[in-house]
Amino acid sequence: MSSLVKDNPAKRRFEILVDGALAGFAAYDQPQGEVLVFTHTVVDPRYRDMGVGSELVRRALDHVRARGGRAVPRCSFVAAFIDRHPEYATLVIDEP
């Protein structure tokens, strides 16, 4: 299984493509400077329980980190991911 995560600023979301098909996305509000507020994560039922959601969030947060940005995990899936992976906790800020 080959996956690609990309930012789609026009739709304000990170998308994960698996073997070329859209498998899910992590939506965010209009960026406020370098802060992204993650609001909702969706994974197509065909790709659930395969680690697709975790891969999506991991790569999205890596993208935020690489830009020197910060994140607000309003989405419960993103918040739970960060709780399980404390190496991302330094990216988290309170609501801007």
Side-chain angles (χ1 to χ4, degrees), residues 8 19 37 42 49 51 55 57 60 74-76 78-79 85 95-96:
N8 183 338
D19 297 329
V37 178
V42 174
D49 300 320
E55 181 69 11
V57 172
R74 198 180 294 157
C75 165
S76 61
V78 174
H85 300 88
E95 294 285 330

Side-chain angles (χ1 to χ4, degrees), residues 69-92:
R70 304 301 289 269
V72 177
R74 198 180 294 157
C75 165
S76 61
F77 187 87
V78 174
F81 178 89
I82 293 169
D83 285 345
R84 289 189 314 274
H85 300 88
E87 64 270 25
Y88 292 102
T90 58
L91 295 176
V92 175

